[in-house]
Amino acid sequence: MAELRGDLEQIVGGTHVLTDPDVVAGYVTDWTGNWHGHTAAVVRPANTDEVSRVLARCHRAGVAVVPQGGNTGLVGGSVPLHGEVVLSTARLNRIEEVDALGCTLAAGAGVRVADAQRAAAGHGLALGVDLASRESATLGGIVATNAGGIAFVKHGNTRAQVLGLEAVLADGRVLTRWAALPKDNIGYDLPGLLTGSEGTLAVITRVLLRLVFPAQATATVLVGVDDAGAALSLRDAILEAGLTLEAAELMTDDGLDLVCAEKDLRYPFDDRAAYTVLLEVSGPDDPEGSLVEVLARCAGVVDGTVEKGHAERLWHYRESHTESAASSSVTPVLKLDISVPVREIGGFLAELPELLRADHPGIRPLNFGHFADGNIHVNLLDVPPEQREEVTDAVFRLVAQYQGSISAEHGIGRAKNPWIGLGRSPVDLAMMAAIRHAFDPAGILNPHVLRFD
Ligand code: FAD
Ligand code: 2HG
Ligand code: ZN
């Protein structure tokens, strides 16, 4: 290992091979605080060539590598639990170009999402992906996890934004698909395959992303509704009125109370409602006025507050859920990011607390999510460590009954490996294993993540 470290220092420079336990601490524990590991070294290459040489050297030594971006992943996939070398993309942080005419952004994989958003905004454009971790999550990270986020309802997932990638294979070879062509059908979609591969097929070093035109006039509403059906009716009424949905988020009354307590916020309504929905809409003229009209004629609306634009004040209630759950729970929050068909959201949300109450009365569920996509973030607070597996199993079996997915947008990571068979058939798993073997026959890239056996 000392010889390997010396060679890595030769490649990236001594100051970019980190081994001091105090410095390395932030790289070996995940955002949720549930996954703690250790590493022989954190290596911070500055460009694709250095990444290639680092991987070739680790490959020769048979040493496993965990790629890490902003370390905001929520499924334990970005930390070395078995002593793997951490390859940090922190120094791949250059925004190369915003092409305003072609509507593309070219950047290093270590660029923070918010920096890319600001660069795009500087040219009157926007990134098609947005998420609350934007100030820390990286472009390589959102590609590697195929992140969803709050703009999914309008622009789709990260995969839909990827035009090209540069990536380094496990043995150090560089794979480049880099054409700013929306139409390009030569063979298999390898960038699409690397998107969502969670660091198991290659290390992404540069990304070429499509940019979108931001909505000009927007309005945001926070509205209390009686049930999940009313939330969906409201969504439909908005679309029928000719407005465009920019975001559609759901919160529960318990969740809102918890956020208000943790963040010292005022409960937003006079009257209580079972669910609170946050909708951001855009339209050619006066979306705020159109929204007020729609609300007035929708059944099941209890109370609401409408603001012009992307109202940070209202978004704060929704975007504070993750942090509030973390600060309120006495154990690391058990995060089960799932999806069900939209018509089943109400049934699922009603059945889940009953299921937990019966066998685990001490666990506090906090459910919220991107409801127009059927994506519910089940957050379970105060779960005793020895019950995590049993509780996960119970929730995932309920998800399977509802024909849902055990991973809507966060990936499989380490956290969901044992349940992957609930979502994919044996043939499907065998094909994915074969693809992985073709990319990385020696099995050195994030070997404990996204397992198919
Ligand atoms: P990391 O956490 O560092 O890594 C995540 C995975 O990608 C790991 O498996 C890692 O090995 C791999 N990886 C990272 N970079 C590379 C690379 N360059 N090449 C190859 N593999 C790589 N997720 C959503 O989908 N939607 C949301 O709305 C959302 N909101 C969030 C809000 C908060 C407050 C937090 C804390 C997290 C949220 N997340 C969300 C989860 C997380 O931010 C995303 O998964 C994000 O894409 C991870 O980016 P990262 O740079 O932090 O990646
Ligand atoms: C979000 O939508 C993220 O805010 C995080 O995907 C979800 O904390 C979570 O469970
Ligand atoms: Zn989410």
Side-chain angles (χ1 to χ4, degrees):
M1 196 47 87
E3 193 188 331
L4 173 66
R5 265 200 298 263
D7 287 353
L8 295 175
E9 283 174 6
Q10 286 286 318
I11 298 167
V12 300
T15 51
H16 296 297
V17 177
L18 314 176
T19 51
D20 177 338
D22 289 342
V23 179
V24 160
Y27 295 85
V28 299
T29 296
D30 81 319
W31 193 93
T32 68
N34 186 58
W35 303 93
H36 306 275
H38 61 100
T39 181
V42 175
V43 187
R44 303 175 2 132
N47 52 45
T48 301
D49 180 56
E50 287 186 7
V51 173
S52 163
R53 288 159 60 207
V54 166
L55 284 181
R57 182 64 187 89
C58 290
H59 189 257
R60 215 166 60 239
V63 167
V65 175
V66 174
Q68 188 179 101
N71 198 13
T72 65
L74 298 174
V75 287
S78 52
V79 285
L81 297 183
H82 301 272
E84 301 93 324
V85 163
V86 174
L87 192 155
S88 163
T89 59
R91 292 173 70 219
L92 306 175
N93 59 355
R94 197 167 76 81
I95 295 180
E96 297 167 18
E97 186 187 20
V98 176
D99 175 355
L101 200 58
C103 294
T104 59
L105 174 133
V111 167
R112 311 262 174 219
V113 171
D115 289 331
Q117 291 172 333
R118 286 187 276 265
H123 291 78
L125 294 166
L127 208 61
V129 180
D130 192 16
L131 66 184
S133 53
R134 57 184 79 80
E135 294 291 347
S136 305
T138 61
L139 296 181
I142 63 168
V143 172
T145 57
N146 187 26
I150 55 186
F152 180 99
V153 68
K154 187 172 182 195
H155 300 296
N157 53 22
T158 301
R159 187 175 287 119
Q161 324 304 322
V162 174
L163 287 172
L165 292 180
E166 184 169 270
V168 182
L169 305 183
D171 60 8
R173 283 178 296 159
V174 178
L175 170 68
T176 310
R177 280 268 186 108
W178 197 268
L181 300 172
K183 288 189 161 177
D184 178 10
N185 266 351
I186 310 173
Y188 301 131
D189 178 9
L190 295 185
L193 181 59
L194 294 190
T195 307
S197 62
E198 301 188 50
T200 64
L201 299 183
V203 175
I204 298 154
T205 52
R206 293 169 65 222
V207 300
L208 180 63
L209 299 178
R210 162 195 328 279
L211 296 177
V212 298
F213 284 92
Q216 289 310 308
T218 60
T220 309
V221 62
L222 199 60
V223 53
V225 292
D226 283 334
D227 52 36
L232 289 172
S233 303
L234 188 52
R235 174 202 65 175
D236 294 347
I238 282 171
L239 295 174
E240 279 159 21
L243 292 164
T244 300
L245 265 186
E246 300 284 325
E249 303 290 315
L250 185 82
M251 295 157 264
T252 63
D253 196 42
D254 289 352
L256 207 52
D257 269 339
L258 184 116
V259 166
C260 289
E262 292 293 322
K263 296 285 175 186
D264 202 15
L265 296 172
R266 197 179 71 80
Y267 188 81
F269 311 123
D270 294 331
D271 296 317
R272 292 259 160 191
Y275 296 105
T276 293
V277 169
L278 184 148
L279 296 156
E280 185 166 325
V281 304
S282 60
D285 30 52
D286 189 22
E288 205 182 339
S290 309
L291 204 46
V292 171
E293 279 170 29
V294 170
L295 289 173
R297 61 169 190 267
C298 262
V301 168
V302 177
D303 202 347
T305 167
V306 181
E307 287 189 15
K308 208 181 172 75
H310 172 81
E312 299 285 355
R313 187 184 75 83
L314 301 183
W315 270 103
H316 194 46
Y317 288 97
R318 163 61 177 90
E319 294 209 324
S320 299
H321 272 64
T322 301
E323 278 183 12
S324 301
S327 53
S328 168
S329 181
V330 296
T331 53
V333 177
L334 177 56
K335 288 184 171 290
L336 304 174
D337 155 48
I338 64 97
S339 63
V340 293
V342 281
R343 66 176 173 284
E344 305 285 9
I345 291 175
F348 178 82
L349 285 176
E351 201 168 336
L352 179 67
E354 279 173 32
L355 176 99
L356 292 168
R357 223 177 348 258
D359 294 330
H360 304 278
I363 294 178
R364 288 184 289 147
L366 172 64
N367 301 317
F368 57 97
H370 320 283
F371 81 90
D373 320 326
N375 183 180
I376 309 294
H377 294 307
V378 174
N379 277 241
L380 302 176
L381 282 59
D382 302 344
V383 179
E386 69 283 4
Q387 289 178 18
R388 283 178 79 94
E389 194 176 329
E390 175 192 341
V391 172
T392 304
D393 194 63
V395 175
F396 282 171
R397 286 187 188 282
L398 183 66
V399 171
Q401 276 172 35
Y402 277 87
Q403 316 295 321
S405 169
I406 62 160
S407 174
E409 60 176 12
H410 296 164
I412 294 295
R414 312 280 163 110
K416 296 180 178 178
N417 273 333
W419 293 276
I420 196 165
L422 279 178
R424 296 288 180 255
S425 71
V427 174
D428 199 325
L429 292 171
M431 290 312 298
M432 290 199 279
I435 289 170
R436 183 172 189 160
H437 187 74
F439 271 82
D440 179 15
I444 70 154
L445 278 179
N446 230 353
H448 304 284
V449 158
L450 193 52
R451 296 208 50 97
F452 307 116
D453 42 21

